[in-house]
C-alpha cells in the first residue's frame, strides 16, 4: 500500500511508529484483507479495498495546507493512517467475524458511553425493525421487495446463508460499521484463522485510532464525551499534543473527496451518503462527475460534471454538492470551536466552499432540473373532511379518544420498561363538554399519556398523512422482543382532519415524558402559520380544547341518546371498547356512563397468534361489530363478509375485537370498517376457531330419544337437520351425509303435529321429523338417486305416474328413488310392520324414503369438514349417551374442552 509522500516523510521521524504503520498496511496484516477485497456481505458494493484507502489518504494529504503541515507530528500521521485503514474495515467482515460479534466476543471492548447495547442486542432489535421496513427500504436493500421473504439467518454455517440473508446482514454491518471499526482498533479483526491486531501500538493510541475511524459515521460532536474519558482534563481536545478532532475532520472530508493516484491534480468524488445503501443510481451519478478544479479561486472546490441524464440524477448531484458544503461548514465551525486558542498553529483545511457547473447544465437539459413530488395544500385538506367523515362530529370524538388512548398505551410500555408497574392503573382519559355561554360549549379531552415533543408535533401531528408509528423513534421505543408493538389505533396520519368537524379552531397543550418543555398552540385548518410556544414544566400528557356550537352539541348528545340496536349509530361516548386506559365522560360537570356494547351471555373466544397479535370473536343476536385496538369500527347486521368460506354452516360474521400491534389488518381510509377486499391476516385462525365451536356445539347437544327438535340452530348461521337412528343422531351436513349415504336409508316423516320421536325404522335408517303440513309436500321435489335396500324382495315397484307406493286412511308412502319399472311392484304388509310403529301412524301424514339428501344438507366448507374428519372420522352416528360420546370422541373432548365448557354451562 502506498503512503502519500508528505505523510511518509513525517512518519520517518519516528521509526517506531513508522514500522508499526508499515506492519499494518503490509501483505501479512490489514493490507492483505484490503488487497483481497472480497466483500462477503456486500457483493454489489463499490471499491473498498486498497485503492479506496490510498485515495482517502491522498485526499487527506491534499486537504492539509502547507502551513499546517509544519505542525503535524508523526504520532498524528500514524493515527490518521491507521484510522483510514480501519474506517471501512467493517465492510470486509467475513462470516466468522460477524458470528463473533453476535456471540459477544467484542463485548469486552464495548464503549459504554457510546454504546448501551451489545451486538446481540442490536442484532435482535434490527431483526424486529426489518419487519417494519417500507417497500422503498426493502427495494433499496434487496432489490425486488415483492419477492423478498425475510427470515432470520441460520448462523450455524455460512453455506446455509441465502443471498437475501447476506444482504440483510450486510445492511446491518453497513449501519454499524463505524462502531465495528472502533472495536477492531481496540481488540483486532477476529477472523476464521485468528485475530489480526493493529500492531504493537500502545493502548492509548488504539483508543485514538478507534474514535477517529469511528467519527466518519457519526456527528463529530457526539465523540466529545468519549474524548473526555480518554483525555486528561481540558487536554482532551489535544491529548498528548495530538489534534485528534482535526484528524476526524480530515478523515471525514477525505472520505468525500478522493484523489485518483493515477492522475495529476484530478479528484474523483466517491459518492457516499452517510447511513444510506449504495445503489445503482449512485454508481451512475459517480460516473457523471468528471473532475474537480482547484485553480479558479482560493479555498474553492469547483465540480465539473457531465450533463445528468435525468432530473433524478441532477438532484442527486445537487444534493451531494450541498452535503459537501455542509461538511465543510461544519468542519470549519468545529475547528474554530476546538482550536480557537491556537493563534498561529491552528489546524486548518484548504477549502471552505464548493461550487459546480450544474446550474449551467440545467439550462441545456430537456427536463425540469429540480425535485418534484406531490404536495397537499390546506384547501385540499378542508375538502377531504366531508368525503371522509360525512361531517359527523362523533368521528371527531373518535379521533381524539383514539389518539389519547394510544398515548396512554405507549406510556404504559415506557413506564413498564422503567420498572413502574403502577402507571397502568393510573392511565386515564377524560372527555368533557361544558356550556360556557349562549350557543357556546367547550369540548375538552385530557390524557396523561406520553405527550408530544417538538419533533412529533411538527413532523407527525401537524403533517397530514404522516404517521408516528412509521417513524424510527416509534419502532425503537415500542418494539418488543417478540416483535409486537403497542396496540395503537392511529395509522394513516389523517385523523386530525376529523377533529375540525367539531370546531374551527383547536387548542393543544402537550408535554412529552422525555422533554422538560411543554408546548402550547392553537390552529385552524387553513392557518398559513402556527405559532408554537414552549415553557418549562407542565404535566406529562396532552390536553386538547375545541369550542363547539349548539348544532354540534345537539348532534353529539342526540347520538348519545339513541339506541345502537335501532339505527346502528355509534354513540359519541361509545367508540372506545377497552378498559385500559380508563376513559371517563362528563357533560356539564356530570359524569355519564361510557356506553359499551353489551355482549353478556355470549360465548367469547380469544385467540392469540404469535406472529400477529390476538383477536376475540362472538355472536350477538343479529348484530355484529368490529373493533380495532380498542376503537370501534362499525356496527351492522351479521351478514357474511367472508364469502370465500363456501360454507352454509358458517355464513354469518361474528363480532370481532382485534388487537393488531403491527397494523397488519387493512382498514378503510376513514377507519369505518375493515377493508374486506383484503385478506384478514388471521382469516384461517378465525374460521378454524368458529369451526371448532360448531363441533363443540354438535357434540354437546342434549339429543335423546325424547328430543323433539328437528333442527339445530348454529350461532354462525344456518340450521342443520337432525337425523335419528335407534342408537344416536347425525346431521344434515355434507360431511355426515356423504358418509351415511352408502350405509343408511333416509326416511322423512311428514306430520300435522309434533310427536314424540320414538319411531325408529332401524339402526340403519336415518329419520328426520318435519313439521310442515301436507300442502308443503306437493311443492317438494325429490330427485331419483341410488339406494341399496337390504331386502330387495320386500319391495314392489310401480310406474312413476304419481309416485304413490302405498296409502291408506292413516298415511301415504311416497317414493322417488326407485327406478322406472314396466309393471307395478307393491310393498308388502310385512315390510310396513317391520319398520313402523303403527300406534303413531295416526299422527303421520306421510313417510318418505329418499336418497336425495341435497335438500336437507348444508355445506361444511373445507376447514370445518377437515376438522370433522379429525374429530368425528367415520363415527358419524353420535351416541345419545354423553359418556359414550366422550369415549368415542376423546380427542375432540380433550382438545376442544374450552369450547365444550361454554356449551355445558
Amino acid at each position: 500500500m502506498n503512503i502519500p509522500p508528505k505523510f511518509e516523510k513525517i512518519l520517518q521521524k519516528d521509526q517506531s511508529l513508522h514500522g508499526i504503520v508499515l506492519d499494518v498496511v503490509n501483505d501479512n496484516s490489514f493490507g492483505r484483507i484490503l488487497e483481497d477485497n472480497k466483500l462477503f456481505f456486500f457483493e454489489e458494493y463499490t471499491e473498498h479495498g486498497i485503492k479506496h484507502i490510498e485515495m482517502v489518504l491522498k485526499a487527506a494529504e491534499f486537504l492539509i495546507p502547507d502551513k499546517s503541515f509544519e505542525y503535524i507530528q508523526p504520532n498524528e500521521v500514524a493515527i490518521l493512517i491507521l484510522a483510514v485503514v480501519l474506517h471501512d474495515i467493517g465492510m470486509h467482515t467475513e462470516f466468522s467475524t460477524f458470528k463473533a460479534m453476535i456471540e459477544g466476543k467484542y463485548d469486552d471492548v464495548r464503549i459504554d458511553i457510546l454504546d448501551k447495547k451489545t451486538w446481540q442486542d442490536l442484532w435482535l432489535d434490527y431483526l424486529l425493525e426489518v419487519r417494519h421496513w417500507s417497500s422503498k427500504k426493502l427495494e433499496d436493500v434487496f432489490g425486488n421487495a415483492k419477492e423478498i421473504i425475510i427470515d432470520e439467518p441460520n448462523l450455524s454455517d455460512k453455506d446455509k446463508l441465502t443471498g437475501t440473508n447476506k444482504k440483510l446482514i450486510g445492511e446491518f454491518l453497513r449501519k454499524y460499521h463505524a462502531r465495528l471499526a472502533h472495536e477492531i482498533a481496540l481488540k483486532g479483526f477476529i477472523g476464521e484463522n485468528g485475530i489480526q491486531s493493529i500492531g504493537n501500538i500502545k493502548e492509548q493510541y488504539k483508543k485514538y485510532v478507534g474514535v477517529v475511524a469511528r467519527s466518519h459515521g457519526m456527528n463529530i460532536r457526539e465523540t466529545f464525551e468519549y474524548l473526555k474519558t480518554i483525555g486528561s482534563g481540558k487536554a482532551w481536545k489535544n491529548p498528548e499534543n495530538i489534534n485528534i478532532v482535526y484528524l476526524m475532520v480530515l478523515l471525514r472530508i477525505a472520505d468525500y473527496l478522493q484523489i485518483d493516484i493515477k492522475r495529476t491534480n484530478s479528484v474523483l468524488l466517491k459518492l457516499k451518503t452517510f447511513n444510506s445503501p449504495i445503489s445503482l443510481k449512485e454508481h451512475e451519478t459517480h460516473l457523471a462527475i468528471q473532475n474537480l478544479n482547484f485553480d479558479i479561486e482560493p479555498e474553492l472546490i469547483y465540480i465539473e460534471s457531465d450533463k445528468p441524464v435525468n432530473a433524478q440524477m441532477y438532484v442527486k448531484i445537487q444534493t451531494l454538492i450541498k452535503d459537501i458544503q455542509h461538511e465543510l461548514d461544519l468542519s470549519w465551525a468545529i475547528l474554530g470551536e476546538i482550536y480557537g486558542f491556537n493563534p498561529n498553529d491552528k489546524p486548518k483545511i484548504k477549502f471552505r466552499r464548493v461550487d459546480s457547473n450544474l446550474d449551467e447544465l440545467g439550462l441545456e437539459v430537456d427536463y425540469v432540473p429540480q425535485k418534484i413530488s406531490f404536495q397537499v395544500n390546506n384547501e385540499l385538506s378542508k375538502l377531504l373532511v366531508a368525503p371522509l367523515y360525512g361531517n359527523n362530529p362523533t368521528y371527531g370524538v373518535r379521533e381524539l379518544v383514539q389518539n389519547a388512548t394510544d398515548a396512554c398505551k405507549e406510556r404504559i410500555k415506557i413506564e413498564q420498561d422503567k420498572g413502574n408497574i403502577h402507571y397502568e392503573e393510573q392511565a386515564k382519559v377524560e372527555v368533557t363538554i361544558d356550556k360556557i355561554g349562549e350557543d357556546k360549549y367547550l369540548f375538552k379531552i385530557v390524557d396523561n399519556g406520553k405527550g408530544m415533543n417538538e419533533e412529533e408535533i411538527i413532523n407527525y401531528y401537524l403533517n397530514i398523512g404522516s404517521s408516528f408509528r412509521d417513524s424510527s423513534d416509534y419502532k425503537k421505543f415500542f418494539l418488543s422482543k417478540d416483535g409486537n408493538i403497542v396496540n395503537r389505533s392511529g395509522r394513516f396520519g389523517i385523523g386530525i382532519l376529523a377533529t375540525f368537524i367539531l370546531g374551527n379552531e383547536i387548542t393543544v397543550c402537550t408535554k412529552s415524558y422525555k422533554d422538560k418543555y411543554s408546548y402550547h398552540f392553537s390552529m385552524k385548518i387553513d392557518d398559513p402559520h402556527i405559532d408554537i410556544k414552549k415553557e418549562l414544566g407542565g404535566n406529562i400528557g396532552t390536553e386538547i380544547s375545541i369550542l363547539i356550537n349548539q348544532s354540534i352539541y345537539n348532534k353529539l348528545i342526540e347520538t348519545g341518546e339513541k339506541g345502537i340496536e335501532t339505527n346502528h349509530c355509534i354513540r359519541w361516548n361509545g367508540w372506545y371498547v377497552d378498559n385500559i386506559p380508563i376513559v371517563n365522560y362528563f357533560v356539564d360537570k356530570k359524569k355519564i356512563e361510557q356506553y359499551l356494547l353489551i355482549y353478556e351471555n355470549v360465548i367469547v373466544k380469544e385467540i392469540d397468534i404469535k406472529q400477529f397479535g390476538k383477536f376475540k370473536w362472538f355472536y350477538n343476536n343479529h348484530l355484529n361489530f368490529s373493533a380495532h385496538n380498542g376503537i370501534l369500527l362499525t356496527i351492522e347486521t351479521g351478514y357474511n363478509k367472508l364469502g370465500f368460506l363456501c360454507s352454509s354452516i358458517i355464513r354469518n360474521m361474528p363480532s370481532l375485537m382485534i388487537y393488531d400491534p403491527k397494523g397488519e389488518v387493512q382498514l378503510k381510509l376513514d377507519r369505518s370498517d375493515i377493508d374486506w377486499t383484503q385478506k384478514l391476516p388471521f382469516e384461517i385462525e378465525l374460521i378454524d376457531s368458529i369451526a371448532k365451536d360448531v363441533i363443540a356445539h354438535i357434540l354437546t347437544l342434549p339429543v335423546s330419544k325424547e328430543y323433539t327438535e328437528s333442527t339445530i340452530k348454529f350461532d354462525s348461521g344456518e340450521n342443520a337437520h337432525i337425523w335419528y337412528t335407534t342408537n344416536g343422531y347425525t346431521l344434515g351436513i355434507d360431511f355426515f351425509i356423504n358418509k351415511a349415504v352408502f350405509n343408511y336409508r333416509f326416511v322423512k316423516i311428514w306430520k300435522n303435529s309434533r310427536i314424540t320421536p320414538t319411531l325408529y325404522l332401524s339402526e340403519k335408517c336415518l329419520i328426520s321429523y318435519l313439521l310442515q303440513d301436507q300442502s308443503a309436500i306437493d311443492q317438494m321435489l325429490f330427485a331419483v338417486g341410488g339406494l341399496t335396500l337390504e331386502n330387495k324382495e320386500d319391495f314392489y315397484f310401480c310406474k312413476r305416474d304419481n309416485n304413490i307406493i302405498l296409502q291408506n286412511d292413516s298415511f301415504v308412502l311416497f317414493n322417488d328413488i326407485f327406478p322406472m319399472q314396466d309393471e307395478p311392484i307393491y310393498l308388502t304388509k310385512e315390510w310396513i310392520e317391520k319398520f313402523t310403529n303403527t300406534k303413531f301412524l295416526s299422527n303421520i301424514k306421510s313417510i318418505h324414503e329418499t336418497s336425495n339428501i341435497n335438500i336437507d344438507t348444508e355445506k361444511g366448507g373445507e376447514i370445518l369438514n377437515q376438522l370433522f374428519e379429525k374429530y368425528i372420522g367415520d363415527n358419524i352416528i353420535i351416541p345419545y349417551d354423553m359418556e359414550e360420546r366422550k369415549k368415542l370422541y376423546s380427542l375432540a373432548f380433550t382438545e376442544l374442552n374450552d369450547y365444550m365448557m361454554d356449551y355445558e354451562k
Side-chain angles (χ1 to χ4, degrees), residues 2-251:
N2 294 312
I3 297 175
K6 291 184 178 179
F7 286 162
E8 180 81 27
K9 184 177 180 180
I10 295 172
L11 261 182
Q12 290 175 348
K13 296 177 181 179
D14 188 323
Q15 289 301 312
S16 175
L17 286 175
H18 189 212
I20 290 171
V21 170
L22 291 180
D23 285 341
V24 170
V25 301
N26 71 26
D27 292 342
N28 295 319
S29 184
F30 285 89
R32 175 181 54 81
I33 298 172
L34 295 167
E35 180 67 33
D36 194 28
N37 197 28
K38 291 181 180 178
L39 306 182
F40 182 76
F41 294 111
F42 303 92
E43 296 173 353
E44 300 175 3
Y45 273 40
T46 54
E47 168 67 42
H48 282 80
I50 285 181
K51 182 180 178 181
H52 167 56
I53 299 301
E54 289 178 338
M55 293 171 72
V56 174
L57 287 173
K58 189 68 176 177
E61 181 193 58
F62 184 72
L63 286 170
I64 302 173
D66 292 339
K67 183 67 174 176
S68 295
F69 258 117
E70 297 177 11
Y71 302 101
I72 291 181
Q73 306 172 77
N75 54 1
E76 291 176 312
V77 172
I79 290 168
L80 177 61
I81 292 175
L82 295 177
V84 170
V85 168
L86 294 185
H87 83 287
D88 276 346
I89 200 68
M91 309 299 279
H92 294 266
T93 297
E94 56 181 87
F95 177 76
S96 56
T97 312
F98 176 72
K99 192 174 181 182
M101 293 163 55
I102 303 306
E103 291 176 349
K105 293 182 180 178
Y106 278 102
D107 287 355
D108 57 332
V109 292
R110 179 175 62 88
I111 297 92
D112 186 65
I113 197 169
L114 295 175
D115 307 303
K116 301 301 181 185
K117 295 185 177 182
T118 64
W119 283 112
Q120 185 179 47
D121 291 336
L122 288 177
W123 174 241
L124 293 176
D125 289 350
Y126 173 75
L127 291 175
L128 294 177
E129 176 189 329
V130 168
R131 299 176 187 174
H132 305 279
W133 277 356
S134 67
S135 57
K136 178 64 169 62
K137 177 70 172 179
L138 291 172
E139 187 173 350
D140 282 344
V141 175
F142 300 108
N144 190 342
K146 293 182 180 179
E147 298 178 0
I148 290 299
I149 299 176
I150 301 175
D151 51 9
E152 184 172 350
N154 184 342
L155 300 182
S156 63
D157 187 341
K158 70 177 181 179
D159 293 330
K160 293 182 180 180
L161 295 180
T162 65
T164 299
N165 292 156
K166 288 183 179 181
K167 290 179 179 179
L168 181 69
I169 295 171
E171 178 60 14
F172 175 78
L173 291 170
R174 184 206 60 76
K175 184 175 182 179
Y176 296 109
H177 80 281
R179 167 179 170 174
L180 181 57
H182 195 166
E183 295 182 2
I184 288 175
L186 298 175
K187 183 164 186 170
F189 189 90
I190 301 177
E192 191 172 355
N193 299 316
I195 300 178
Q196 181 64 59
S197 70
I198 61 170
N200 189 24
I201 189 172
K202 63 181 184 179
E203 291 300 316
Q204 192 71 359
Y205 277 23
K206 289 182 180 180
K207 295 178 182 180
Y208 300 152
V209 170
V211 72
V212 172
R214 180 175 191 157
S215 66
H216 83 290
M218 60 191 296
N219 188 315
I220 289 181
R221 286 192 173 90
E222 292 177 355
T223 67
F224 290 177
E225 289 302 313
Y226 174 69
L227 291 177
K228 291 175 183 178
T229 67
I230 62 175
S232 176
K234 294 183 179 181
W236 67 267
K237 296 179 180 181
N238 59 340
E240 302 183 50
N241 292 319
I242 298 169
N243 291 319
I244 191 137
V245 177
Y246 180 49
L247 302 182
M248 295 180 185
V249 167
L250 290 173
L251 172 55

Side-chain angles (χ1 to χ4, degrees), residues 356-383:
S356 74
N357 64 335
L358 203 59
D359 289 342
E360 298 171 17
L361 295 174
L363 300 175
E364 304 171 4
V365 297
D366 58 356
Y367 51 80
V368 178
Q370 59 180 286
K371 184 177 181 179
I372 302 171
S373 60
F374 283 108
Q375 298 184 23
V376 179
N377 61 33
N378 289 340
E379 291 301 317
L380 181 57
S381 297
K382 288 192 291 184
L383 292 175

